[in-house]
Amino acid sequence: MTQQSARTPYTSGMLRNDAGRERDRLTSIQGSVDTFTTGILDRLPVEASWNCLELGAGAGSIAYWLAERCPEGRVVAVDLDTRHLDAGRAANLEVQEADITDEDYAPGSFDLIHARYLFCHLAARDDMVARVSRWLAPGGRLVIEEPYHLPGATSPFPVMRRILDAYQRMYHEHGADLTWVRGLPALLAGSGLSDVAFAANPGFMGGLDKDRWLPLINQAAPTLLADGLVTEADLAEFHTLLKDPAFIDIPQMTLSAWARRPAEAPSTDGLG
């Protein structure tokens, strides 16, 4: 197992797994997106004998779902920090604490590789798509889900224009790209995969108990304040808005793109 040596926001900063609010953030994401994700996986469909790789497994909900759906196969769940993962949830579940940018798996190892909210944080994200594609078995599927952050300036709420713009700037300054996913379908096709498809799921901010953004903003708030990107008054107004049933916004979309490794290598003899 390979550990990440460099200090990054994901090992020592606001997104580290031991951050006080990280579990809340992961739980919020799972509650908001899991139904969308499992719906995508059901379309493939997932088979009982598949060997699966879950990259950036987080709090483990999709890894556990896959372990239940693939009782005759295995699921490898990988994350930089596995404290939120329970290796005892299933006999066919293997938890690995590793940096996937250093990790390497044998070509053709997995029938399904899934990652959610991971690639946008990687420095060499385009290269990693091609690399991960090689880990697929012939006929195997790669499913990558990433956020597409809508421009803060388009929010109907003035305070959210400031907060959402600051949120995106903060992530950008930490090396993340919250709009990278737009080019993902082309990257999948360019990596030699076929049957490329994609779907989107809008994020829900506000709407009283439908909101999923409070844990995300709460976790980012100390950094946003320290960097002077928002004020205490901005954050107080956001919390007040959350009590208003008319406060509903769409800060970002989750785009899921998936493709299949051809069962046979394409011909290179010029005869098709």
Side-chain angles (χ1 to χ4, degrees), residues 68-118:
E68 184 176 343
R69 292 296 300 271
C70 304
E72 301 167 19
R74 68 174 181 132
V75 177
V76 179
V78 185
D79 206 295
L80 274 174
D81 188 327
T82 59
R83 73 186 64 204
H84 300 302
L85 295 170
D86 179 6
R89 283 288 293 265
N92 61 335
L93 174 66
E94 177 184 347
V95 173
Q96 292 183 356
E97 188 166 277
D99 178 356
I100 67 122
T101 63
D102 291 336
E103 194 69 29
D104 207 2
Y105 297 95
S109 295
F110 299 100
D111 302 292
L112 170 67
I113 300 174
H114 173 260
R116 187 170 68 191
Y117 297 180
L118 170 67

Side-chain angles (χ1 to χ4, degrees), residues 195-239:
D195 301 333
V196 176
F198 51 88
N201 183 56
F204 208 116
M205 174 181 278
L208 300 178
D209 60 351
K210 295 179 182 179
D211 177 76
R212 87 158 182 90
W213 273 79
L214 177 60
L216 280 67
I217 299 299
N218 280 347
Q219 187 187 43
T223 301
L224 294 174
L225 289 168
D227 291 347
L229 298 175
V230 300
T231 66
E232 292 280 7
D234 290 332
L235 295 174
E237 186 174 350
F238 167 62
H239 283 81

Side-chain angles (χ1 to χ4, degrees), residues 30-71:
Q30 291 182 167
S32 176
V33 191
D34 273 4
T35 298
F36 173 68
T37 297
T38 55
I40 296 297
L41 297 176
D42 269 334
R43 293 187 195 183
L44 300 181
V46 175
E47 298 183 10
S49 61
W50 276 9
N51 293 319
C52 306
L53 178 62
E54 176 71 4
L55 298 172
S61 61
I62 299 303
Y64 304 151
W65 185 89
L66 287 170
E68 184 176 343
R69 292 296 300 271
C70 304

Side-chain angles (χ1 to χ4, degrees), residues 127-178:
D127 293 338
M128 279 303 301
V129 171
R131 182 177 174 192
V132 168
S133 297
R134 294 193 288 270
W135 301 341
L136 289 171
R141 307 296 184 110
L142 174 60
V143 182
I144 298 176
E145 302 180 291
E146 298 293 337
Y148 187 88
H149 198 84
L150 300 176
T154 62
S155 172
F157 302 95
V159 68
M160 296 319 302
R161 295 171 198 165
R162 297 191 295 275
I163 292 176
L164 292 173
D165 180 64
Y167 186 88
Q168 186 168 12
R169 286 172 57 193
M170 177 193 68
Y171 269 89
H172 178 75
E173 290 170 1
H174 285 91
D177 186 343
L178 300 186

